[in-house]
Every structure is written in structure tokens, then in C-alpha cells.
Amino acid sequence: MKKVTSIVILGALGAFVGAYATGGFNAWLPQEMKVGVSSASLLGDGEVALKEQDTQLEDKLQPVIGCLNDVASPLRDHAQTYVNEYPHLAATPGATRIAASFKIQVYEQNNSISRECIAALRGAITMTPADAGLDDPGKIFADTLEQLIPVMNEVDLYYSRKDNIDDHMKKGGALNEQIMPLFTTLFDAEDKLREIVSERNHTLREKRLVAIEQAFGTENFGWHTLNVSLSARRAIDGISNLAETGQLDTQSIEKVEQAYQAALDKADAFAKAHPDTRTKLGNTPKWFALSSEFNTFLIGLKDFRRLLAGNPDQQAIEAQLSKLQGDYNSMIRSYNMIPDV
């Protein structure tokens, strides 16, 4: 089985992301996708016009994203722990070290979280618009997860009772032969889903930025906040492409850095000119809660450019890329969790 690595992204998949990222998938959840109801020009959070098909695709993506976040990511972590533990268990019959449990949450009854994921994916497949890129791997993931549930439960029960001690891993070996091909199929489908969700989300968010500009112009918090987040996405994509093509150097990274900083500086200037703006509930705009994390990401870009100037070894490059990805992931989680009102 290939190494199961998790990816936390704003839809950005690439060479360095796949190699170095850790964590759980977190791709712009529904709170971020929906614009509020206020028409205040400084907020830029009123209704905007998207094509019906785009709105439908936004809705179709949400259960897929939820399933990737709530089930695929933790299962991948559990599977990796199991893969790491199994050789020791197989080589040491009667070992008391126990393989990972496949419960999504300790309180979960009858695999309820996994079963909700299966239902959500199958529901998404029936939604308009039909999208083979989402629907085909979604069906494979749902069907495979359904096949995995009884096998995972049997593995959990076998090791929790330490039956491997009594039968010297005889049943453990048979269960491993059942579970590993299913994991391979499941995570292959998951990878495809992540890539397609990444592409679809990015396209929709670009369209939403245009729609906000058409409705309210660019001098509002809604446009600036989304524009900076998209600029961060472009930066991650740019670095990923540079890493994949072997073109990482100070000059190429500096161009990525400067493009992102231009968007961030413009948003900062707007926020400083409108410090007293409040939402309809009397809160400060979302920008103010996110600006420090946007700035942390810029610092990471600058640090990476400075690192490359010193001819670092591959390990140092990978460490800095991982940190940069972590900063990006943290920014996304905050964006998802902070309400717009």
C-alpha cells in the first residue's frame, strides 16, 4: 500500500503538497462559499449573481467536502498507523502492541459517521449538475467504504481483544489481506476527489470574486478578503509548480511573494482607511480576524525565499515547505470557522 499522506489545502494539489503536507483536508466550507445578506458597500457581503449551474455546483460540492474532512482524513491517519504497526505484529506473534482503531470518533455508534458520509456522497452524485469527475470517484469511495466497514470492525474487535496473542496472528494475516486492497481503492478514489474538489472550488471562488466586483466594486472588505485568499492559493499553486518542474530559486519565489504581498498590502490599506466598519450584527469585518494569519503566510514566503538564497539542502527545503503549508492550512481553517456576520 502506498504511504497514506493527508493534504490540507485550499484546493491546491502539487508535487510538494503531496510530498510534504500533513493534516486534514479543509477546502473552503459552506460558510465561506455563501455571501451574506447585507448590501452595505463597505462590507461587500450582499447577494451576488452567479449562474444557476455554478450555485448548484457549490451545493453539490459541500457534502463531498464534508465527507473528505470528516471521514477520509481521519481514516487515512488510522490506516497509516495500522500500516506502520502491522509489520511488528506479523513479525512478533503474540505481540501486545495493538493496531490502530478505525473508529472515526470514540463515541461513534454503528459506524454512524462513516455511514453518513456514504449517504452524503450518494446524494451528491444525484445532484445537478452531473459531473463525472466528482461522481465516478465519489461512487467508488462510497461503495468501497461500505465494504470496509465490516472489515474494519472485525479488525478493531480482533486486536482490542488481543486475539492475535491466542492465534499467533493467523486471523490477523487474513484480515490484512482483506483490508489492504480496500484501503488502496478507497484512498485512490479520495485522491481523485480531492483534486477535482480543488479545481472546482478554485474556479467557483474566482467567479465569486468577479461577481462581488460587479455588484460592489473592489473597495469593500468582501472583495479584499476573498482576493487575498485567492492570491494565497495562487502562491501555493505557483510554488507547487516550481517544485514539480525543478525551478525553485530566489527569483521565481520572489515573483510569487511580490504578487501575494501586493494583494495583502492593498487590503491592509483599505482596512486601515475603514477601521470603524461594522457588520449588521455590530462585529468587525472578517478581515480583521484573518489579517494576522494572512501576514504570517507572507512571512513564510519571505523566509522561504531567504532560505533558497543560502543554497540549502533538500531537508531544509522540505522543512520550510512543510511550515509554509502549515501556515496556509491554519489560515484556511480560520477562514472556514470565522462567520461573515
Side-chain angles (χ1 to χ4, degrees):
M1 179 183 178
K2 63 183 180 182
K3 181 176 177 59
V4 280
T5 55
S6 295
I7 305 171
V8 182
I9 49 173
L10 172 59
L13 290 170
F16 93 80
V17 175
Y20 311 130
T22 59
F25 186 73
N26 208 329
W28 299 101
L29 298 180
Q31 302 97 301
E32 187 274 338
M33 297 298 294
K34 302 299 183 184
V35 178
V37 296
S38 171
S39 59
S41 59
L42 285 179
L43 293 176
D45 65 349
E47 294 293 340
V48 297
L50 289 180
K51 293 181 179 179
E52 183 181 5
Q53 189 173 29
D54 292 334
T55 301
Q56 290 172 337
L57 181 56
E58 284 184 347
D59 292 337
K60 184 184 180 86
L61 284 171
Q62 302 318 315
V64 181
I65 292 172
C67 196
L68 290 171
N69 281 332
D70 298 339
V71 175
S73 289
L75 267 187
R76 188 173 282 238
D77 289 341
H78 295 329
Q80 188 62 64
T81 301
Y82 172 84
V83 169
N84 292 340
E85 288 293 320
Y86 182 79
H88 171 79
L89 294 165
T92 314
T96 57
R97 193 159 74 186
I98 302 303
S101 169
F102 295 108
K103 287 284 186 183
I104 302 298
Q105 296 287 348
V106 293
Y107 59 78
E108 185 180 9
Q109 298 295 318
N110 194 30
N111 307 98
S112 59
I113 300 174
S114 293
R115 294 184 191 281
E116 287 170 3
C117 166
I118 292 169
L121 280 180
R122 288 176 174 163
I125 290 169
T126 67
M127 294 173 69
T128 302
D131 186 334
L134 284 171
D135 297 343
D136 293 349
K139 183 179 186 307
I140 293 171
F141 188 95
D143 291 348
T144 306
L145 181 57
E146 188 168 47
Q147 295 175 59
L148 262 169
I149 286 174
V151 183
M152 291 190 298
N153 288 345
E154 196 167 359
V155 170
D156 282 345
L157 192 63
Y158 176 72
Y159 287 109
S160 67
R161 291 176 174 175
K162 300 183 181 180
D163 288 342
N164 61 305
I165 296 174
D166 299 326
D167 73 355
H168 299 284
M169 282 294 289
K170 182 178 179 180
K171 185 174 181 179
L175 288 172
N176 188 66
E177 290 181 2
Q178 293 180 54
I179 205 167
M180 291 303 289
L182 291 172
F183 277 149
T184 298
T185 301
L186 185 79
F187 296 130
D188 282 347
E190 178 199 359
D191 288 342
K192 291 183 177 69
L193 281 174
R194 290 179 186 276
E195 184 174 2
I196 295 300
V197 168
S198 161
E199 294 171 357
R200 303 292 190 269
N201 255 332
H202 182 57
T203 299
L204 289 170
R205 293 177 63 249
E206 292 278 12
K207 289 180 178 181
R208 188 166 288 280
L209 185 69
V210 171
I212 293 174
E213 183 172 347
Q214 290 174 343
F216 306 110
T218 62
E219 293 307 292
N220 59 78
F221 282 100
W223 186 89
H224 280 295
T225 305
L226 184 53
N227 185 54
V228 173
S229 72
L230 281 168
S231 296
R233 160 66 193 263
R234 296 183 196 112
I236 285 290
D237 279 351
I239 294 172
S240 176
N241 291 335
L242 290 168
E244 186 175 5
T245 56
Q247 299 180 67
L248 279 175
D249 55 38
T250 54
Q251 291 77 23
S252 60
I253 290 298
E254 188 170 20
K255 290 180 181 179
V256 172
E257 172 195 327
Q258 289 175 346
Y260 176 71
Q261 183 166 355
L264 181 58
D265 287 349
K266 186 176 180 180
D268 272 333
F270 178 80
K272 288 174 182 176
H274 303 89
D276 299 324
T277 303
R278 293 293 182 269
T279 69
K280 62 183 179 181
L281 295 183
N283 300 317
T284 56
K286 189 172 182 175
W287 167 264
F288 292 100
L290 292 168
S291 59
S292 63
E293 294 198 61
F294 285 140
N295 189 63
T296 296
F297 183 67
L298 176 62
I299 293 170
L301 290 174
K302 291 179 179 291
D303 286 342
F304 188 42
R305 185 244 308 153
R306 295 177 186 122
L307 175 72
L308 290 178
N311 296 316
D313 59 25
Q314 187 63 27
Q315 184 176 2
I317 292 175
E318 291 182 8
Q320 188 60 35
L321 284 171
S322 180
K323 181 180 182 303
L324 185 64
Q325 184 71 47
D327 292 341
Y328 181 69
N329 295 340
S330 176
M331 178 181 70
I332 294 168
R333 280 189 290 269
S334 295
Y335 202 138
N336 292 336
M337 293 174 66
I338 298 171
D340 294 315
V341 294

